[in-house]
Amino acid sequence: MSQRWGQVLPPREEQYELKRRAALEAAANAFNAHGFYKTSLGDIAAELGVTKAALYYYFKSKDEILFECHTLAIEAMTSLPAISEDLSGLQKVEAFVLGYVDMIVQSFGRCLVLTGTHPLEPENAEKCRAGRRRVHDLLVDMINTGVKDGSIRSQDARLTANFIFGALNWVAQWHRPDGRDDIVRISHDVKDFVINAIAADVSTKEGA
Amino acid sequence: MSQRWGQVLPPREEQYELKRRAALEAAANAFNAHGFYKTSLGDIAAELGVTKAALYYYFKSKDEILFECHTLAIEAMTSLPAISEDLSGLQKVEAFVLGYVDMIVQSFGRCLVLTGTHPLEPENAEKCRAGRRRVHDLLVDMINTGVKDGSIRSQDARLTANFIFGALNWVAQWHRPDGRDDIVRISHDVKDFVINAIAADVSTKEGA
Amino acid sequence: MSQRWGQVLPPREEQYELKRRAALEAAANAFNAHGFYKTSLGDIAAELGVTKAALYYYFKSKDEILFECHTLAIEAMTSLPAISEDLSGLQKVEAFVLGYVDMIVQSFGRCLVLTGTHPLEPENAEKCRAGRRRVHDLLVDMINTGVKDGSIRSQDARLTANFIFGALNWVAQWHRPDGRDDIVRISHDVKDFVINAIAADVSTKEGA
Amino acid sequence: MSQRWGQVLPPREEQYELKRRAALEAAANAFNAHGFYKTSLGDIAAELGVTKAALYYYFKSKDEILFECHTLAIEAMTSLPAISEDLSGLQKVEAFVLGYVDMIVQSFGRCLVLTGTHPLEPENAEKCRAGRRRVHDLLVDMINTGVKDGSIRSQDARLTANFIFGALNWVAQWHRPDGRDDIVRISHDVKDFVINAIAADVSTKEGA
DNA sequence: AATGAATGAGCATTCATTCAT
DNA sequence: AATGAATGAATGCTCATTCAT
């Protein structure tokens, strides 16, 4: 079959991944729109034009679907565009914030924040929490770096990271992709907000 | 019985309210701990030492229970200790933030943030959203006041309010009442965080 | 109390009966309007302005309430105004029909026909069926009498009685007390219908 | 499997309809035997040897099951064997009565009469009432035809139709399929009963 | 690679009934 | 004579999951 169609159709294996990915995307969007528990496997299947049972060819449970969504989001977060080592702590935070907001407004990022870990089975929930802790530590390290190099005022880095994640994650709650606030504007403003909140002194601040 | 025990037992009407309140508290805590959908009415009833059916004497549905939790939280938020009119916009925000954090870490406040409106029936969900919009507007007004009186730097007040609510609400996600971070410490730090983020210039800032 | 009010208030015992009767009437009407199973004890109580629990002072179960309604109806049917012995079988049937229709459109009569015996506990159901059999036999006897005295054409009396009861009972289904067909008219027409159906020959018929 | 067994097994689609129909039949019989409310979905499922949940593959609610039973009954009633146009009004009624009795003693016909519309959701109840009104009108028209052509004595056609339906429907109440009165006998007798009741004069009557 | 059919477990909800007061 | 409060049992319904085809 794939030979008859020449190179038009991707090889079977790749098709599998493609479909799997499409299913995850559809699932994440449905979860974001109506909540995990108000989204049945039938809903997701219908969205894809297949049967409930077909999903079990790609996933072994509803839990796994959510887990994969979370995993993809966490992977995206931990592999944000490499941040140059030359930058000051504050500049690193700035770069991180910009990259993070971009993630958080997409399907999987929103899913991570909006759905939370409650629905996950204990084992998977723990894996996700570990992943999020890694992301958290990333930011904490940057803050500590900044405090040491004098670009960030002295403060409890762990708490501060939580505040920042709060401001960023919350975007997923109120931002509507089709709304009036385009994401570029938001990124810029939230970056200013965070930088002002933590910068050591006025001279390093922007947007004031 | 009530005569024999003197004034120890409250009158029946008050007992009703007391029990109802206790049920709401138990429900909110259960929702916060395991999520709305993983909490069955049986769980809540068991926690209270009564039967599932007994809950229906006080509430007409599971939905109503959640709705009441949200309503109580919203009422608490809109009736935060009156903030003096003499204060600058920035000072008002400061007072608001401190009061808000106190609410958000309690049963109903956490429930509001953690459960969200997805599980609610459309009608009740809309009422809650309206309530939250009122709270949002409260903060927006303070920010605008601050911009006018020069205590807060110029910026999009609506967006800024969202960032602040993000930092504050997120506390409900990561703070464990029994954890190492006591709430006084958090309140103080998050207040500094917010004030620094929005203040007009360094002279008005604290905690740097 | 009853002395203070002189003879105005009936003696306590009679009051009990009065209230009991009122409750039965309310129950029958509710059953007729919405069906036995869609009528809760709370509905009946509300109609009477008392509490669900109060009904248990007068009846020991919902089943008993329905049973009493049926019993009252059957009593009314078996004690229709005595029919003179001098009459022909056909004339007896005529008198019976007129009396029966009057019963069937009232609360308890309608309740008997509309509710049926399904909801009753086996024991009570059997009692009711026995009562209805007695009524049935009453009519069968009249028909047999008529066949013997030549006023009614020869036919299976048991079957014929069933047909007649069908025509009569069905009135409870379609007749609305507030509707356009007043009961006098109906009585007259259904009597003609029945008489024509069973009379021996045209000479005895009316209403043609 | 279906190949191995040749044409013995009907195609899948047809099997679906067959099972659905069997479920309806089982339901109707159970309703007739114990009443709608004393019949749980579990009872029906058990009768069919499947699970409660399996029924939801074929019907979306208990209400729908009853509604379908009623619908089938009404369809059967409105599509009684076409009655020749050449017949007199009286002869048409005669044909109608015979056909109707055949329906009323079968599962769905009995269900229609015995269960009534109370249990149905308002919307479905209204549809059923409309259907029954159509059947009623059918008979009214025949009577009016008969009055015009002189075969039926002058009388209120609507009331008369009600009396006839009463005699016919009531058969569902007292007739036991396994009883001593076979349905042929009943049909014949009730037809005589009705014809005598409405015929214009003795010459057209039968069975006297 | 996907489907139709069926299952089992769980859950919210209703309601007749009880009982201390 | 009546009530408030609570119970237990039953029931309709949903949904993730399975499996033969």
Side-chain angles (χ1 to χ4, degrees):
Chain A
M1 192 87 162
S2 61
Q3 284 160 331
R4 269 201 268 160
W5 287 91
Q7 307 292 24
V8 174
L9 288 183
R12 216 194 297 284
E13 229 176 55
E14 204 176 324
Q15 273 194 57
Y16 178 87
E17 280 307 331
L18 249 30
K19 292 187 191 169
R20 198 167 192 275
R21 175 76 182 215
L24 288 174
E25 203 108 24
N29 289 333
F31 295 160
N32 294 339
H34 314 109
F36 179 74
Y37 287 103
K38 292 224 165 166
T39 303
S40 77
L41 288 187
D43 294 338
I44 301 172
E47 186 71 29
L48 296 165
V50 296
T51 333
K52 228 166 36 161
L55 290 174
Y56 282 85
Y57 186 72
Y58 299 91
F59 310 97
K60 71 176 213 289
S61 70
K62 191 186 182 187
D63 186 79
E64 191 185 83
I65 294 180
L66 179 58
F67 178 60
E68 292 271 304
C69 289
H70 281 207
T71 301
L72 286 172
I74 292 171
E75 275 174 11
M77 283 172 181
T78 48
S79 57
L80 287 178
I83 293 173
S84 163
E85 281 302 317
D86 310 336
L87 301 176
S88 73
L90 187 64
Q91 286 168 321
K92 283 181 179 171
V93 171
E94 182 178 329
F96 178 85
V97 165
L98 290 174
Y100 192 90
V101 172
D102 270 355
M103 305 292 0
I104 216 64
V105 293
Q106 291 176 41
S107 303
F108 300 127
R110 295 188 67 204
C111 183
L112 182 70
V113 173
L114 296 182
T115 308
T117 56
H118 269 145
L120 287 172
E121 314 240 308
E123 201 182 357
N124 284 340
E126 184 42 49
K127 283 186 199 157
C128 286
R129 272 185 237 111
R132 295 179 78 159
R133 240 178 279 126
R134 282 202 312 279
V135 180
H136 188 267
D137 291 344
L138 238 48
L139 182 54
V140 169
D141 288 347
M142 294 178 195
I143 294 174
N144 281 329
T145 303
V147 171
K148 272 189 209 120
D149 69 23
S151 59
I152 295 179
R153 68 184 171 90
S154 175
Q155 58 202 296
D156 184 316
R158 244 186 48 258
L159 284 185
T160 303
N162 277 327
F163 303 151
I164 296 176
F165 277 119
L168 300 182
N169 288 334
W170 202 247
V171 174
Q173 291 269 0
W174 53 265
H175 175 254
R176 290 290 156 264
D178 49 342
R180 55 179 157 174
D181 303 303
D182 80 305
I183 199 59
V184 175
R185 174 74 194 286
I186 294 173
S187 295
H188 179 268
D189 276 25
V190 77
K191 179 209 62 180
D192 280 358
F193 181 86
V194 169
I195 295 305
N196 275 290
I198 64 172
D201 63 56
V202 78
S203 69
T204 42
K205 296 187 182 177
E206 308 172 27
Chain B
M1 192 92 165
S2 62
Q3 284 159 331
R4 270 201 269 162
W5 286 91
Q7 306 292 23
V8 173
L9 287 184
R12 219 203 308 271
E13 223 175 59
E14 204 175 326
Q15 274 193 57
Y16 177 89
E17 281 306 331
L18 250 29
K19 292 184 191 170
R20 197 166 193 275
R21 176 76 181 216
L24 288 174
E25 204 109 23
N29 289 333
F31 294 159
N32 294 338
H34 314 108
F36 179 75
Y37 287 103
K38 291 222 167 168
T39 303
S40 77
L41 288 189
D43 295 338
I44 301 172
E47 186 70 29
L48 296 164
V50 296
T51 332
K52 231 171 20 164
L55 290 174
Y56 282 86
Y57 187 72
Y58 298 90
F59 310 97
K60 71 177 211 290
S61 70
K62 192 186 180 187
D63 187 80
E64 189 186 87
I65 294 180
L66 178 57
F67 178 61
E68 292 269 305
C69 289
H70 281 208
T71 302
L72 286 173
I74 292 170
E75 275 174 11
M77 285 173 180
T78 49
S79 58
L80 287 178
I83 295 173
S84 163
E85 281 302 317
D86 309 336
L87 301 175
S88 73
L90 187 64
Q91 286 168 322
K92 283 181 178 169
V93 171
E94 182 179 330
F96 178 85
V97 165
L98 290 173
Y100 192 90
V101 171
D102 270 355
M103 304 290 4
I104 216 66
V105 293
Q106 290 175 39
S107 302
F108 301 126
R110 295 188 68 205
C111 183
L112 183 69
V113 173
L114 297 182
T115 309
T117 54
H118 268 144
L120 286 172
E121 313 242 310
E123 202 183 359
N124 284 340
E126 183 43 48
K127 283 186 200 155
C128 286
R129 273 186 236 111
R132 295 180 77 159
R133 244 177 276 129
R134 282 203 312 278
V135 180
H136 188 269
D137 291 343
L138 238 49
L139 182 54
V140 169
D141 287 348
M142 294 180 195
I143 295 173
N144 281 329
T145 303
V147 171
K148 273 191 210 119
D149 69 25
S151 60
I152 295 179
R153 70 183 169 90
S154 175
Q155 58 203 293
D156 184 316
R158 244 184 49 258
L159 284 184
T160 303
N162 276 327
F163 302 151
I164 296 175
F165 278 120
L168 300 181
N169 289 333
W170 200 247
V171 175
Q173 292 268 0
W174 52 265
H175 175 254
R176 291 289 157 264
D178 49 343
R180 55 180 155 173
D181 303 303
D182 80 306
I183 198 61
V184 175
R185 174 73 194 283
I186 294 173
S187 296
H188 179 265
D189 276 26
V190 78
K191 178 209 62 179
D192 280 359
F193 181 85
V194 168
I195 294 305
N196 276 290
I198 65 170
D201 64 58
V202 77
S203 67
T204 41
K205 296 186 183 178
E206 309 171 26
Chain C
M1 194 90 162
S2 61
Q3 284 159 330
R4 270 201 267 163
W5 287 90
Q7 306 292 23
V8 174
L9 288 182
R12 217 194 296 283
E13 230 175 54
E14 202 176 326
Q15 272 194 57
Y16 178 88
E17 281 306 331
L18 248 29
K19 293 187 190 170
R20 198 166 192 276
R21 175 76 182 215
L24 287 174
E25 202 108 25
N29 289 333
F31 295 159
N32 294 339
H34 315 108
F36 179 74
Y37 286 104
K38 292 223 167 167
T39 303
S40 77
L41 288 187
D43 295 337
I44 301 171
E47 187 71 29
L48 296 165
V50 295
T51 333
K52 228 163 38 158
L55 290 174
Y56 282 84
Y57 186 73
Y58 299 91
F59 310 96
K60 71 177 212 290
S61 69
K62 191 186 181 187
D63 187 79
E64 191 186 82
I65 294 179
L66 178 58
F67 178 59
E68 293 272 303
C69 288
H70 282 208
T71 301
L72 286 173
I74 291 170
E75 275 174 11
M77 285 172 182
T78 49
S79 58
L80 287 178
I83 295 173
S84 163
E85 281 303 318
D86 309 336
L87 301 175
S88 73
L90 188 65
Q91 286 168 323
K92 283 182 179 170
V93 171
E94 182 179 331
F96 178 85
V97 165
L98 290 173
Y100 192 90
V101 172
D102 270 354
M103 305 290 4
I104 216 64
V105 292
Q106 290 176 41
S107 302
F108 302 125
R110 295 188 66 204
C111 183
L112 182 71
V113 172
L114 297 181
T115 308
T117 55
H118 269 145
L120 286 172
E121 313 240 310
E123 201 182 356
N124 285 339
E126 184 42 48
K127 283 186 200 156
C128 285
R129 272 185 237 110
R132 296 179 76 158
R133 243 177 278 127
R134 284 203 311 279
V135 180
H136 187 269
D137 290 343
L138 237 48
L139 182 56
V140 169
D141 288 347
M142 294 179 195
I143 295 173
N144 280 329
T145 303
V147 171
K148 273 190 210 119
D149 69 24
S151 60
I152 295 179
R153 68 186 170 89
S154 174
Q155 57 202 296
D156 184 315
R158 243 184 49 261
L159 284 186
T160 304
N162 276 326
F163 303 151
I164 296 176
F165 278 119
L168 300 183
N169 288 334
W170 202 247
V171 175
Q173 291 267 2
W174 53 265
H175 175 253
R176 292 288 157 262
D178 49 343
R180 54 181 157 173
D181 303 302
D182 80 304
I183 199 59
V184 175
R185 174 75 194 283
I186 294 172
S187 296
H188 178 267
D189 276 25
V190 77
K191 179 210 61 180
D192 279 359
F193 181 86
V194 169
I195 295 305
N196 275 291
I198 65 172
D201 65 56
V202 78
S203 68
T204 42
K205 295 189 184 177
E206 309 171 27
Chain D
M1 190 89 163
S2 61
Q3 283 159 330
R4 271 200 269 161
W5 287 92
Q7 307 292 24
V8 174
L9 287 183
R12 219 204 306 273
E13 223 175 60
E14 204 175 325
Q15 274 193 55
Y16 177 89
E17 280 307 332
L18 249 29
K19 292 185 192 169
R20 197 167 193 276
R21 177 74 182 216
L24 287 175
E25 204 109 22
N29 289 332
F31 295 159
N32 293 339
H34 314 109
F36 179 76
Y37 287 104
K38 292 223 166 166
T39 303
S40 76
L41 288 187
D43 295 339
I44 301 172
E47 186 71 29
L48 296 164
V50 295
T51 331
K52 230 174 17 167
L55 290 174
Y56 282 87
Y57 187 71
Y58 299 90
F59 311 97
K60 70 177 211 290
S61 69
K62 192 185 181 189
D63 187 79
E64 190 186 85
I65 294 179
L66 179 57
F67 178 60
E68 292 269 306
C69 289
H70 281 208
T71 301
L72 286 171
I74 292 171
E75 274 174 12
M77 285 173 180
T78 48
S79 57
L80 287 178
I83 295 173
S84 163
E85 281 303 315
D86 309 336
L87 301 176
S88 73
L90 188 64
Q91 287 169 320
K92 283 180 179 171
V93 171
E94 182 178 331
F96 178 85
V97 165
L98 290 173
Y100 192 90
V101 172
D102 270 355
M103 305 291 3
I104 216 65
V105 293
Q106 291 176 38
S107 304
F108 302 126
R110 294 188 66 205
C111 183
L112 182 70
V113 173
L114 297 181
T115 309
T117 55
H118 268 146
L120 286 173
E121 312 242 309
E123 201 182 359
N124 284 341
E126 183 43 47
K127 283 186 200 156
C128 286
R129 272 185 238 112
R132 295 180 77 159
R133 243 176 278 128
R134 281 203 311 280
V135 180
H136 188 269
D137 291 343
L138 238 48
L139 182 54
V140 169
D141 287 348
M142 294 179 195
I143 295 174
N144 281 329
T145 302
V147 171
K148 272 190 210 119
D149 69 24
S151 59
I152 296 179
R153 68 183 170 91
S154 175
Q155 56 204 294
D156 183 317
R158 244 183 50 258
L159 284 185
T160 304
N162 277 326
F163 303 151
I164 297 175
F165 278 119
L168 300 182
N169 288 334
W170 201 247
V171 174
Q173 292 269 0
W174 53 265
H175 175 254
R176 291 288 156 265
D178 49 342
R180 54 182 156 171
D181 303 303
D182 81 303
I183 198 59
V184 176
R185 174 73 194 284
I186 294 172
S187 296
H188 179 267
D189 276 25
V190 77
K191 178 208 62 178
D192 280 358
F193 180 86
V194 168
I195 296 305
N196 276 291
I198 65 172
D201 64 58
V202 77
S203 66
T204 42
K205 296 187 184 178
E206 309 172 27

